[in-house]
Amino acid sequence: MSTESAAPAAPTAAPAAQVAVDKSKGGDKLAAWSVFSLILGLAGDMAKPIGNYSLWLMAAGIVGFILCFALRRASFARRGMFHAGIFALIMGTIWGLQQFAVPDDKGDERGATVAFLPILAPIQTKILPLPQNQKLLLQFQDAVAKGSDSERVAAARELYVATEDPALHRGMIEAMMGSGNPALQQSATLLRFAERKRDRLTLPPIDRDKDDPLSRRLLSFSFEVRDVNVDSGALDLRSSTSRSFGTVTRQGTTMRLPIIVAEGGSFQEMLVDLKPGNDMRLTGKARLETGEVVAVELPLF
C-alpha cells in the first residue's frame, strides 16, 4: 500500500522545478531590461544640452505600449506591452525629474543627473559634441557652480574677461544673474555696467500712470555710467549735467540721481533702489525727497 500511494507523486517534481526555472529566467530578463532602460534613460538625460532625448524616449515607450496593446492577442505583444510600460515609466520619471524636481530650470538645461550630481558636470561638457561657444558657456556654468563666493566670483571674472564674444558675454551674465547667488549677481551687475559706460540708461516705470508727474518724467529720463569700480562696487554717474553716485552691493543697487520732475522746477534728489529681477532686469523703487514713489526697472541689455 505504501509503495503504490507514493508512486503518483514522482511525475509532479519535474514540472515544478521547470516552473521555478522559468520564473527565474523571466525575473532575470525583467531585471536586465530595467537596467538597460535605466542606462539608456541616464544617457539621454546627460545629453540634455544637445536635445530633449528624455522626452523623445518617453514618447517612444508610450507609442510602443499603445502598439502592443492594439496587438495584445498575440503572445509576443503581451510581453512587449509589459516591457514597453516599464521603459516608458523609467523615461517618464527621468523627464519628470528634469522638469519638476530641480530648481532654477537647471534640470531642463543640463539634465537631472548633473543637477543632482554636479561632480558630473565637467564630464558632460567634455563628452558631448557641442559647438565651441556652447561648450565654453557650460564650462563657465560649471566654474561658478562650486566653491566659496570669492572663488566663484574670481572664476566668473577671469572667464568673462577672457571672452570677447558678445553672445557669450550675455550668456555668462544670464548664468550669474539666474544663479540666485548674491555675490555672482553683484559681479554680473558691475560687469554689465562696465560694458555700458557712456550708454544712455533708462528707468522706465513698471506701471505707467499718466497722472503721476514722476512716472511721466521717468519716460524721458536717462543717465550714464561714467566709471565702475568692480572691486568696491562704486558707480560714477551722470544725469543731465550733474554728477551723481551709486553703489552695487550683494543686497542690490542704489543710486542717487538728480531729476527735474515739474517743468521749470528745480532739481530733486531721486533715490533708486534696485534688485535683480526677471528677464535680465533690475527692478525696484524710485523715491523722491518729497515722498513720491514709483516702481521702476533697469534693463541690463
Side-chain angles (χ1 to χ4, degrees):
M1 288 293 291
S2 60
T3 306
E4 292 178 357
S5 60
T12 62
Q18 186 64 41
V19 169
V21 171
D22 290 343
K23 286 183 177 180
S24 176
K25 289 182 178 180
D28 291 343
K29 289 180 179 179
L30 178 60
W33 175 252
S34 300
V35 170
F36 168 77
S37 300
L38 181 60
I39 293 174
L40 185 60
L42 293 176
D45 180 64
M46 286 287 286
K48 185 68 178 72
I50 298 177
N52 204 0
Y53 294 103
S54 296
L55 178 61
W56 300 341
L57 289 170
M58 180 182 68
I62 294 173
V63 170
F65 180 86
I66 293 173
L67 289 175
C68 290
F69 180 79
L71 301 172
R72 61 187 179 277
R73 293 183 181 278
S75 59
F76 76 90
R78 289 195 294 270
R79 291 193 301 272
M81 184 170 61
F82 184 68
H83 286 79
I86 292 174
F87 185 86
L89 178 62
I90 291 174
M91 300 307 162
T93 300
I94 293 174
W95 180 81
L97 289 173
Q98 289 178 359
Q99 301 299 314
F100 306 110
V102 183
D104 302 324
D105 295 328
K106 189 172 182 180
D108 196 35
E109 293 176 0
R110 302 291 298 269
T113 305
V114 170
F116 288 117
L117 298 173
I119 194 173
L120 298 177
I123 299 174
Q124 182 191 51
T125 305
K126 289 180 180 178
I127 64 176
L128 293 181
L130 296 166
Q132 185 62 22
N133 279 6
Q134 189 174 357
K135 185 166 288 191
L136 288 173
L137 184 56
L138 291 180
Q139 289 173 348
F140 178 86
Q141 293 174 351
D142 297 340
V144 301
K146 55 189 176 182
S148 64
D149 285 350
S150 58
E151 291 172 340
R152 295 166 76 176
V153 169
R157 288 185 184 178
E158 181 180 355
L159 292 171
Y160 191 90
V161 172
T163 303
E164 298 181 357
D165 188 341
L168 272 178
H169 275 183
R170 183 183 179 108
M172 291 175 176
I173 293 291
E174 189 170 1
M176 286 189 283
M177 294 296 287
S179 68
N181 181 279
L184 288 175
Q185 291 175 334
Q186 176 195 21
S187 185
T189 303
L190 288 167
L191 290 171
R192 187 57 187 151
F193 277 150
E195 283 189 333
R196 300 196 67 185
K197 288 182 183 179
R198 307 283 178 167
D199 284 356
R200 304 302 297 180
L201 304 181
T202 61
L203 288 166
I206 295 175
D207 299 316
R208 300 184 180 183
D209 185 355
K210 64 179 182 180
D211 297 323
D212 179 67
L214 180 55
S215 293
R216 291 199 309 269
R217 178 66 183 92
L218 285 172
L219 293 176
S220 58
F221 176 79
S222 64
F223 65 98
E224 294 180 4
V225 175
R226 291 295 182 91
D227 195 20
V228 178
N229 188 320
V230 294
D231 294 318
S232 69
L235 303 175
D236 185 2
L237 310 172
R238 293 291 189 279
S239 174
S240 301
T241 58
S242 303
R243 184 181 183 185
S244 55
F245 300 93
T247 307
V248 180
T249 68
R250 296 187 182 187
Q251 287 70 45
T253 301
T254 57
M255 297 180 288
R256 295 184 178 274
L257 298 168
I259 185 173
I260 299 176
V261 177
E263 187 175 348
S266 58
F267 280 107
Q268 296 187 53
E269 184 176 78
M270 179 174 64
L271 176 63
V272 182
D273 187 5
L274 303 170
K275 299 187 183 305
N278 298 324
D279 302 327
M280 304 296 287
R281 299 176 301 164
L282 304 179
T283 60
K285 304 286 186 181
R287 179 180 289 102
L288 294 179
E289 297 172 309
T290 51
E292 291 91 337
V293 179
V294 172
V296 296
E297 62 184 10
L298 194 163
L300 291 176
F301 286 88

